[in-house]
Amino acid sequence: MTAGTLTTLARRPRWLAPATSVVTVGALAAGPFLLLPYATATLTRMLVFGLLAASLSVLVGLAGTPSLGHAAFFGAGAYATAWTAVHQTSTVLALCAGTLVAAVLAALVGAVAVRTHGVWFLMFTLAVGELLQQTADSWEPVTGGSNGLYGIPALAVGPLVADGPATTYWFVLIFFVLGMATLWAVATSSFGTRLRAVRDSEDRMRALGHRATAVKWTAFLLAGAVAGLAGGLFAAQQRLVTPADLGFSTSALALLAVVIGGSGSLWGPVLGAALVIAVRDVLGADLDGHGPLALGLLFVLVVYLLPGGFLRPRGAGPRPLPGIRLLRRDQR
Amino acid sequence: MAGADVAATAVLNGLAVGLLLFLTAAGLSLIFGMMDVLNLAHGSLFLAGAYLAWWVGGDRQTWPSLAAAAGAAVLVGILGGAVLALLAAPLARRSHLEQALLTLGVALIAGDLFSALFGDDVRATVPPPGLDGTITVAGWTYPRYRLVLVVVGAVLAAAVYWTVERTLLGALFRATVADRDMVAAIGMDPRRARVAAFALGAVLATLAGLLGAPIYHARPGLDLTILVLALVVVVVGGLGTVRGPLLAALLFGQVESVGQAVLPEFASFLLFGALAAVLVVRPRGLFGAATAGAAR
């Protein structure tokens, strides 16, 4: 049994998912006591990308709108947090600023994106990601250009200053839990139900009087905001943000994590992200810089061997990922 | 340079870029229309063509090297297309996202192999003697190769257009897009038509890369740049057709090169701004409605 497979949550005892989550988070909190600093830093990166993947999972699995440009909001959050920390304040307010900027951006992008369907949604989000990467590259006075934005001071929440591997880890973990709780609350609320209904039959929901576009837009905004929070945590850990962090490759990594873990699930994509980071950073380093090769093979293997991901609801049989038959024949 | 000269240069540059984009995007459109596969490895085929131009001809091409590279590019295209078609075949009944991920994986692997084979340096090549240098007409100078590119690109584009719109093979392609079952019912093999479309699309992409090598310079990351541009063209132009991407590619060539001439800082913004504007007005692309009619 696994926690957080939201599509089948109703069939399990209500306390199971929160209980499993509490145990998991408790185990995670003990990480720095058991691990070497380097491993702690890797685990921190896994949490950061896990939160990004979980937010994307809401779009892919619940809203049925897979995005190829989700890293745009991750990057916007990272840059906004970094800029605020460098120029204004390095308290937790910087993180709030990053989340807010990502949310505003997601609101703007989402207003156009939710009007498109299928492949057009993929392409539009991809284009937005590329556009933002180019902005980051060329807007040198603010973003530092291709060198990136560096010299980010350690962020702090109250007495906890994220200046060492362990404190950074706990800092990230706190906001990781907050972000995951937000996503979980959204997915299990009546709004989440409406979102899945729109995914399954948008026309029917419209006929029933629901504003399907508004529902999808809200989901896009929320996912973008949480991605921005993940970006802010990224800036807090790396102390460096570069244009590559909001480009297509980061979006593709997040999407891979979602597909490995099972879209629509929350913990699944976190596991997927952990695996992706492990392959890229740990295995990739051992392979003499051939991380992309290992990742590419992982992509191919996952597509063939894991339709639906790790945390696919049991007994569901082989089936396509929910809501991802992008283009129905009648939509061509 | 006078204003008219600048304008002529920008328009011709736009035409050259637009035709290259069309050759790449036409393959993408065919592959999506026929195979129903969103081929994110398409930029890798373009880059393979560009690297071939450098690998066979070196820093300076000769006529034999260009001919050899063109032959090799056709072979690589056919092979690459066939391999992709085989890889994608088991996923035919699954989602577009999974096919996109598969081809993305192939693109990552290809990019890594290119880096291992050719290193991370820019591999620029100069066109063969006779095509390099500039041409001067009434005080206006223009790179000769770009002019040739416009002509060759136009010929190739016309050939593609003619093949799809006027030949039996093209009719089979269009019929397979419109109604696969009917094609099978009249005794044609839609699967073979789809593999042929994949191979043809891949050959077009490698040839475009070969032709574009002196302009784009083979380098890591070029595959992604070209892929995004081609996808934008296909999305704006409409899927599964030739006319839509042709018009969209020419339009985007102009937007890019005139933008480069007038507002160099914002050229890429103009491109994606145009994409966003098109999607706001017509969420299925400029020629999407016409495509939908043809597909039924």
Side-chain angles (χ1 to χ4, degrees):
Chain A
M1 273 298 175
T2 45
T5 308
L6 298 160
T7 37
T8 56
L9 206 61
R11 276 182 246 142
R12 295 179 188 155
R14 281 196 69 84
W15 50 265
L16 187 67
T20 318
S21 298
V22 166
V23 171
T24 311
V25 170
L28 280 174
F33 297 118
L34 310 170
L35 298 170
L36 294 171
Y38 179 76
T40 305
T42 305
L43 197 61
T44 315
R45 268 202 305 282
M46 288 174 175
L47 287 185
V48 169
F49 279 100
L51 188 57
L52 173 68
S55 72
L56 179 59
S57 178
V58 168
L59 282 186
V60 178
L62 296 192
T65 51
S67 163
L68 282 180
H70 203 52
F73 310 112
F74 179 78
Y79 270 109
T81 303
W83 188 88
T84 313
V86 170
H87 295 283
Q88 301 296 330
T89 169
S90 62
T91 63
V92 69
L93 280 179
L95 211 49
C96 299
T99 311
L100 190 68
V101 166
V104 170
L105 186 70
L108 291 175
V109 172
V112 177
V114 296
R115 290 166 52 86
T116 65
H117 290 269
V119 175
W120 283 273
F121 187 91
L122 278 181
M123 296 303 94
F124 180 68
T125 49
L126 176 64
V128 166
E130 289 301 298
L131 180 63
L132 237 76
Q133 185 177 8
Q134 279 162 7
T135 309
D137 220 9
S138 55
W139 198 13
E140 217 169 317
V142 172
T143 62
S146 54
N147 291 330
L149 193 54
Y150 49 86
I152 304 166
L155 296 193
V157 50
L160 185 65
V161 182
D163 53 359
T167 43
T168 307
Y169 175 81
W170 282 315
F171 180 88
V172 169
L173 183 63
I174 290 171
F175 289 98
F176 169 83
V177 170
L178 275 176
M180 290 294 281
T182 308
L183 293 176
W184 186 82
V186 168
T188 52
S189 66
S190 67
F191 174 78
T193 312
R194 257 180 296 159
L195 193 56
R196 281 187 290 273
V198 168
R199 172 198 73 197
D200 291 339
S201 178
E202 198 169 328
D203 292 340
R204 191 184 305 157
M205 284 298 278
R206 256 187 243 287
L208 286 171
H210 290 278
R211 293 170 60 205
T213 310
V215 172
K216 284 203 290 188
W217 178 77
T218 312
F220 199 90
L221 195 164
L222 284 168
V226 175
L229 175 64
L233 296 175
F234 178 79
Q237 190 203 4
Q238 300 292 118
R239 310 276 194 91
L240 167 71
V241 187
T242 64
D245 297 324
L246 38 74
F248 177 63
S249 46
T250 308
S251 296
L253 285 187
L255 200 54
L256 177 63
V258 170
V259 172
I260 290 176
S263 64
S265 141
L266 289 185
W267 280 110
V270 175
L271 283 179
L275 184 64
V276 167
I277 295 291
V279 168
R280 191 192 66 175
D281 294 359
V282 183
L283 191 62
D286 288 344
L287 289 176
D288 202 20
H290 284 293
L293 185 72
L295 271 179
L297 289 172
L298 188 62
F299 267 95
V300 175
L301 286 178
V302 162
V303 170
Y304 284 126
L305 303 179
L306 266 183
F310 284 145
L311 297 189
R312 193 158 48 92
R314 282 178 190 215
R319 63 175 175 88
L321 297 169
I324 309 183
R325 189 69 213 176
L326 289 175
L327 198 66
R328 299 198 306 267
R329 286 205 78 80
D330 57 343
Q331 280 183 333
R332 279 243 198 92
Chain B
M1 267 203 288
D5 293 351
V6 178
T9 304
V11 168
L12 269 182
N13 277 346
L15 210 53
V17 169
L19 286 166
L20 275 184
L21 266 184
F22 166 71
L23 291 180
T24 318
L28 201 60
S29 175
L30 265 181
I31 290 171
F32 189 89
M34 302 277 303
M35 298 282 291
D36 215 20
V37 171
L38 185 60
N39 181 22
L40 295 184
H42 211 64
S44 310
L45 291 162
F46 184 98
L47 189 52
Y51 272 129
L52 257 181
W54 177 83
W55 186 61
V56 178
D59 296 341
R60 180 171 252 290
Q61 294 177 344
T62 59
W63 284 99
S65 84
L66 186 61
V74 171
L75 271 180
V76 166
I78 292 175
L79 267 177
V83 167
L84 278 170
L86 279 177
L87 283 174
L91 305 178
R93 297 275 163 211
R94 304 219 326 240
S95 72
H96 286 117
L97 181 60
E98 287 177 53
Q99 294 165 344
L101 287 172
L102 173 76
T103 50
L104 192 61
V106 173
L108 279 173
I109 295 171
D112 198 275
L113 288 180
F114 287 147
S115 285
L117 285 174
F118 300 104
D120 289 335
D121 299 331
V122 173
R123 298 298 186 186
T125 186
V126 174
L131 298 187
D132 56 346
T134 56
I135 188 169
T136 308
V137 181
W140 169 67
T141 51
Y142 192 74
R144 227 176 260 187
Y145 185 75
R146 292 201 179 220
L147 215 54
V148 173
L149 198 58
V150 171
V151 175
V152 175
V155 169
L156 275 176
V160 172
Y161 189 82
W162 184 77
T163 305
V164 174
E165 297 287 332
R166 292 279 181 271
T167 65
L168 190 63
L169 182 68
L172 182 59
F173 282 172
R174 281 177 290 132
T176 311
V177 175
D179 194 336
R180 199 169 301 158
D181 299 335
M182 185 56 79
V183 169
I186 60 170
M188 307 281 235
D189 186 351
R191 269 174 309 176
R192 210 175 291 172
R194 292 163 74 196
V195 175
F198 223 123
L200 181 63
V203 168
L204 285 175
T206 47
L207 279 181
L210 181 81
L211 290 171
I215 292 179
Y216 281 105
H217 309 316
R219 60 174 189 274
L222 179 64
D223 45 356
L224 185 60
T225 311
I226 293 293
L227 172 71
V228 170
L229 287 177
L231 285 173
V232 167
V233 163
V234 167
V235 166
V236 170
L239 293 159
T241 65
V242 174
R243 201 175 313 165
L246 179 59
L247 289 174
L250 293 177
L251 185 77
F252 270 70
Q254 293 305 324
V255 170
E256 205 199 5
S257 84
V258 174
Q260 286 282 7
V262 182
L263 295 165
E265 307 268 301
F266 297 100
S268 49
F269 276 98
L270 282 178
L271 216 57
F272 291 112
L275 171 75
V278 165
L279 284 178
V280 168
V281 180
R282 305 203 49 157
R284 283 179 199 174
L286 271 187
F287 305 95
T291 324
R296 281 210 188 100

